[in-house]
Structure formats: structure tokens, C-alpha cells
Amino acid sequence: YTLDIAGDFSVQGNSRIAFGTTANPVVVNLNGNFDFSSSAAGSSNLKSSGIYTFNVLGDFAQSSGTLSLSTAGNAGTINVGGEFNQSGGTITEGGAGSGAFIFNGSVGVQGIVQNGTITNTINFSVSNTFGIALNSDLSLPSNLSQLTGAGDINLNGFILTVGGSLTQQSGTIATNTTSGLILLGAGTLPGAGVPILFSGTDLGLLALNKAGTFETPSTLTITNLELYNGTLDASSISISNGGTIERR
């Protein structure tokens, strides 16, 4: 089925939300903001079987509760056209399923705030031509992708942690002296011949802790370099005066 919601949609108090329990695909179009502030003891399982797409034209906000994007091997996608503000709560998935956020706004850079928890296979992708900007540290347990036509990921002085794969089809990662990039967890680094592009010439922290090769043609001056696993092609990288290199 397809459900169209003309305004904002809030889940509050002891309320929970579910789009369905059957394998039939579901599309929910929200022409406004989504606010999840549930205090219910159990999680909101958006769909326990089959696929769904939740199109949020406005902002996505979560302040409490647990929002499960899938529960039993199914896949769910939330397209966000506005800001992403997770001030609390947990975003997760259960079973062998997966969930995805795609930032597909079209009127400007989308801001990202994460002060809650994101766990399990929750992937982030950017398709907005204006890109996204971190307004807090962001820790992702799974994959991060810049899709074809996407703009930059602006670290904006914050630290981005990616536990899965990092892929670029468009755009760059915009850095400065106080921003950081940490690549760890399962999977591998992008690989030889698959460079990651940066804009900005300084990066406060680069930490690599997964197998594979990380290379960039971008000229970077790094303050703190941490090499715990993997291979770094450092042909265009230098260490700032007073910087550190840690190798385990």
C-alpha cells in the first residue's frame, strides 16, 4: 500500500509505530517533519517482513525510544529531505535485516546531529547535490556512501566514524584541523586504485583499523595519524609540526 500524510507526524508518549507485518511492500510519503519521542518500553518495529520506503520531505528528529528499521531479514529505507537530529534514543535493526537513511534534500546542505545511538546494519547514503554537514560527531556502525551526483560530506570540525565501507561516487570529504575520520570495524578499506577525495588541506585525525588499502590523491596535512590495521598510501600526506603517528 501507499500512505500519504499531508503534514507533520509525531510518535509520542507510550505510542509505537509499525507500517505493517506482511511481506507486501509499503511506501509512506510524509509531506512534513517526522518526530519520534516515544517512551514505550518496547521498540517501534517499522516493518517485520518485506520492504518499505519512508519518504520524509522535512526533518527527521528522535529524542527517545528505540526505532527499529527492520526485524526479520527485511530491508527498510528512510529518505530524508531536511535535517537529521538524533538528540537521544536508539536507531537499530533486528535479525538479519538492514536499514538505510538516504539524504536526498534539494534546497541546501543537510545538517546531521547524533547524540543518541545507532547500532547494527544501518547504512547512510548521500544523494543531495548540496551534500551534508556534521553538527556533532557521527558514529556509524555500517556503511557510508556518497552516491552519483552527491555533494560533499563536511566534517565541520567534528569526528566521523565509519564501521563499514566508505564509498564515493561523487563529492569529497571536507576537512579542517579539528575534524577527524576514523575507519574501523568489519569489511575493508576502499582499496588500491579506489581513492577517497578530500577538500581542505588539513585533517586533525585519521585513524585506520581495518584491512585493505587507503589512498587519496588529495594533499593532506594530518595532526594525529593512527595506524592500527590496513595499509596507508601516504604519497600525498604529511604530518603537521608537533603531530603524532601511532602504530600498533
Side-chain angles (χ1 to χ4, degrees):
Y1 70 86
T2 297
L3 174 64
D4 295 323
I5 303 173
D8 297 336
F9 182 29
S10 297
V11 181
Q12 302 174 344
N14 287 321
S15 301
R16 292 188 288 178
I17 178 177
F19 292 148
T21 58
T22 69
N24 296 325
V26 173
V27 176
V28 179
N29 299 310
L30 176 61
N31 192 29
N33 301 318
F34 177 69
D35 177 75
F36 187 83
S37 54
S38 173
S39 58
S43 63
S44 282
N45 302 318
L46 291 187
K47 204 167 189 297
S48 58
S49 179
I51 62 173
Y52 70 86
T53 303
F54 185 19
N55 298 310
V56 180
L57 185 64
D59 299 336
F60 174 97
Q62 181 186 21
S63 59
S64 60
T66 299
L67 187 64
S68 180
L69 273 58
S70 66
T71 55
N74 60 312
T77 299
I78 300 180
N79 293 303
V80 180
E83 307 287 291
F84 177 93
N85 188 346
Q86 189 196 27
S87 59
T90 298
I91 297 170
T92 189
E93 55 81 18
S98 65
F101 283 89
I102 300 177
F103 298 95
N104 64 348
S106 59
V107 296
V109 176
Q110 293 176 256
I112 308 293
V113 172
Q114 183 206 5
N115 290 310
T117 301
I118 303 174
T119 65
N120 297 330
T121 308
I122 303 296
N123 302 311
F124 273 40
S125 296
V126 182
S127 64
N128 183 354
T129 58
F130 297 96
I132 63 172
L134 304 193
N135 292 320
S136 73
D137 292 342
L138 177 62
S139 182
L140 301 177
S142 195
N143 304 329
L144 174 63
S145 303
Q146 288 171 278
L147 304 177
T148 300
D152 296 340
I153 296 174
N154 189 344
L155 300 187
N156 205 24
F158 295 101
I159 295 175
L160 171 63
T161 301
V162 181
S165 64
L166 172 65
T167 58
Q168 281 183 330
Q169 297 173 9
S170 292
T172 70
I173 297 176
T175 66
N176 59 28
T177 55
T178 58
S179 58
L181 177 62
I182 300 174
L183 302 179
L184 49 75
T188 62
L189 295 169
V194 187
I196 296 298
L197 303 179
F198 294 87
S199 54
T201 58
D202 299 290
L203 180 61
L205 168 67
L206 176 63
L208 304 180
N209 190 9
K210 63 172 61 188
T213 300
F214 182 90
E215 67 177 60
T216 178
S218 306
T219 300
L220 276 180
T221 299
I222 297 174
T223 304
N224 297 300
L225 178 62
E226 299 176 359
L227 301 176
Y228 301 150
N229 191 11
T231 300
L232 174 67
D233 182 343
S235 56
S236 62
I237 291 175
S238 60
I239 304 299
S240 65
N241 186 19
T244 63
I245 300 176
E246 183 174 350
R247 175 68 174 170
R248 295 181 185 176

